[in-house]
Amino acid sequence: MDYKGHDMEKLFIKDLEVRGKRVMVRVDYNVPLDADGNITDDSRIRATLPTINYLLDEKAKVILASHLGRPKGKVIPGLSLRPVAKRLSRLLGKEVPLAEDCVGPEVKKFVDKMNPGDIILLENLRFHPEEEQNDPEFARELASLCEVFIQDAFGNCHRSHASMVGINRFVPVAAVGFLIKKEMEYFEKAVNNPMRPVVAIMGGAKVSDKIKIIENLARKMDKILIGGAMAFTFLKAQGYEISRSLVENSLLEEVKNVAEKARKNGVKFYLPVDFVVAEKFDPKAETKVVTFQEIPPNWYALDIGPASTRLFVEALAGARTIIWNGPMGAFEMDAFSRGTYAMVEAVTNSHALTIVGGGDTDVAFNKAGATYEVSYISTGGGAFLKLLEGGELPGIAAVTDKQAYEEKQRATVMAK
Ligand code: AMP
């Protein structure tokens, strides 16, 4: 498998000697917690089990490192990884102790006493400000705990932090784990080398977050369906009245160009043809369904309507690959969730390879109980989006091509 010209096969966990060695795995355990500190979705923990089980079977000494939330460099007890250690212990059927910190003499002592087949979870990396600053000393200290470094924190690979990038300079050997390999393989099948026809469904709140993606996909997809609040910037650019619906006025020219470019490339570009509109941005507000030409003055369009759903479902027929990112409406409120759930159903009923990109879209699949009916749900929101943009993931680049990455970093620093 290829990542930006680097042969990932040669940098894969299975190609390294790990038996009896201290192996640090950077995982992404940034899981959602409720007000009582309970984990509400453990899919990111489950996604790391293949790598962990492999290492335990190989009798490595497994040191897991992760961040959780945004403690901003301070110790916040509510953002301790303790609930994760507990859940992981349950999933593995083996006690996973939590270290008091992620660096320092106590951790080192603990690691030194580990036996082959032992496992430990380090405390939240972001309790140290140096993690997000990609501080070299901190990276060196982390690296000193291990003989082998495995990068498997796909969801964080768009971040150039110490445990993601900096650490690679100080570890003797590094490779990617099973999760990253799987994410990259699905991405390859969805975007770079898809079975055609390939259709992208894009939704969500802001065009500004996703314009680069649409630009990139406009070169690669056969069809692009646009839903969510994003659609209003496209409609306004064509001169339609969108009343109080969300819009990004600074992007009107840009979206017009992107849509035109897509059409010129032969990509079929779909916008919604009707909406569920409401008098207020409120779940109890009066609602009605109107065509896109008839959004009443001062009303908000908050979901795609039934005709749009039919149109989009029709456009998906015969697709052999479908990629989806972003809800079709303000789906957190029941009154504006139908468009999104109708698309969840259409995608799960399709015979295509279906790939769903993190964030709100996987929440919709979870809520609909359809998680296991798609081919793959990415564990990375921002990282998945970065890939869709055609961008590079520093967390992977630093493993697969250390030297080139370091040179680029140096050049950027010198240019500043
Ligand atoms: P994103 O993070 O960009 O994927 O956006 C997801 C958010 O977009 C969700 O919280 C939705 O409620 C919101 N959203 C989608 N469609 C609309 C809409 N028509 N009006 C307001 N918010 C929307």
Side-chain angles (χ1 to χ4, degrees):
M1 204 197 134
D2 187 75
Y3 176 69
K4 301 251 168 206
H6 315 309
D7 187 356
M8 279 212 351
E9 296 297 346
K10 293 203 187 99
L11 294 142
F12 185 44
I13 183 172
K14 281 185 91 170
D15 303 312
L16 303 182
E17 188 48 66
V18 293
R19 192 166 290 269
K21 293 200 172 151
R22 282 176 278 118
V23 180
M24 180 178 290
V25 190
R26 178 47 161 114
V27 284
D28 179 5
Y29 289 160
N30 188 24
V31 291
L33 299 171
D34 68 14
D36 299 317
N38 298 308
I39 298 169
T40 54
D41 178 355
D42 67 359
S43 30
R44 285 188 165 178
I45 305 177
R46 290 173 188 273
T48 63
L49 295 179
T51 292
I52 296 174
N53 280 323
Y54 173 80
L55 291 172
L56 292 176
D57 288 349
E58 289 288 308
K59 295 273 174 264
K61 302 170 187 172
V62 184
I63 307 158
L64 303 172
S66 176
H67 70 284
L68 172 62
R70 301 208 158 138
K72 303 213 168 106
K74 294 202 185 80
V75 177
I76 311 263
L79 290 176
S80 161
L81 282 162
R82 190 159 299 283
V84 173
K86 250 168 103 183
R87 179 67 55 99
L88 190 59
S89 303
R90 182 131 55 83
L91 291 172
L92 289 172
K94 180 182 174 74
E95 175 70 15
V96 180
L98 177 75
E100 269 178 31
D101 200 346
C102 57
V103 287
E106 286 306 311
V107 179
K108 204 148 182 109
K109 249 192 257 165
F110 192 101
V111 168
D112 284 342
K113 276 196 240 141
M114 283 173 83
N115 291 313
D118 280 356
I119 182 166
I120 181 180
L121 173 62
L122 303 181
E123 186 52 288
N124 197 341
L125 292 160
R126 289 196 190 164
F127 284 173
H128 294 261
E130 297 86 356
E131 160 65 358
E132 290 182 75
Q133 293 157 357
N134 196 13
D135 179 86
E137 265 322 300
F138 181 71
R140 190 200 299 271
E141 234 192 305
L142 272 177
S144 73
L145 293 174
C146 67
E147 295 156 281
V148 177
F149 175 67
I150 300 294
Q151 180 56 270
D152 219 15
F154 178 75
N156 202 43
C157 275
H158 55 313
R159 310 263 185 225
S160 295
H161 295 166
S163 66
M164 302 299 301
V165 170
I167 190 167
N168 288 278
R169 281 169 58 194
F170 304 109
V171 287
V173 199
V176 300
F178 288 93
L179 176 60
I180 287 196
K181 184 154 186 270
K182 189 164 159 190
E183 291 273 0
M184 298 304 292
E185 279 170 354
Y186 271 106
F187 182 77
E188 190 69 19
K189 281 193 227 168
V191 178
N192 290 338
N193 207 0
M195 300 248 280
R196 292 182 182 274
V198 48
V199 185
I201 310 169
M202 298 297 298
K206 285 185 165 176
V207 196
S208 48
D209 287 345
K210 295 184 188 166
I211 188 92
K212 277 200 200 149
I213 296 178
I214 301 173
E215 238 163 26
N216 188 37
L217 294 183
R219 287 190 284 261
K220 299 186 164 163
M221 300 291 112
D222 296 304
K223 302 180 188 182
I224 300 179
L225 320 183
I226 304 274
M230 260 204 307
F232 305 113
T233 304
F234 284 90
L235 287 173
K236 185 162 179 188
Q238 290 177 16
Y240 291 101
E241 176 56 52
I242 51 136
S243 301
R244 289 201 181 170
S245 314
L246 280 183
V247 69
E248 283 174 277
N249 286 314
S250 59
L251 288 173
L252 294 176
E253 255 327 286
E254 211 167 330
V255 298
K256 222 162 139 182
N257 291 338
V258 170
E260 253 164 46
K261 235 189 253 166
R263 284 192 196 103
K264 263 195 205 142
N265 289 344
V267 179
K268 298 192 177 66
F269 206 81
Y270 292 76
L271 287 170
V273 290
D274 66 342
F275 292 103
V276 178
V277 295
E279 227 176 345
K280 289 190 211 130
F281 193 90
D282 184 319
K284 291 195 201 97
E286 191 195 332
T287 64
K288 54 186 177 182
V289 174
V290 297
T291 66
F292 72 98
Q293 296 96 335
E294 291 172 30
I295 303 174
N298 295 323
W299 283 50
Y300 301 79
L302 294 172
D303 193 11
I304 59 170
S308 309
T309 305
R310 265 200 301 277
L311 174 73
F312 284 4
V313 171
E314 199 65 38
L316 288 179
R320 296 181 74 191
T321 309
I322 301 172
I323 309 164
W324 183 0
N325 181 273
M328 298 290 100
F331 79 111
E332 296 89 342
M333 297 185 237
D334 288 341
F336 315 114
S337 67
R338 284 207 184 169
T340 300
Y341 289 117
M343 293 305 286
V344 167
E345 198 184 326
V347 168
T348 53
N349 284 339
S350 126
H351 293 290
L353 180 89
T354 47
I355 287 138
V356 171
D360 284 309
T361 329
D362 59 347
V363 173
F365 277 83
N366 287 342
K367 270 196 182 166
T371 307
Y372 297 106
E373 290 176 53
V374 277
S375 312
Y376 193 61
I377 298 189
S378 174
T379 55
F384 183 80
L385 295 180
K386 191 84 202 163
L387 282 180
L388 283 182
E389 283 177 7
E392 186 168 68
L393 295 179
I396 298 180
V399 177
T400 53
D401 189 355
K402 270 200 238 182
Q403 202 185 347
Y405 192 78
E406 279 169 26
E407 275 163 19
K408 209 160 84 188
Q409 291 286 92
R410 268 199 295 276
T412 323
V413 172
M414 277 160 71
K416 271 184 188 164

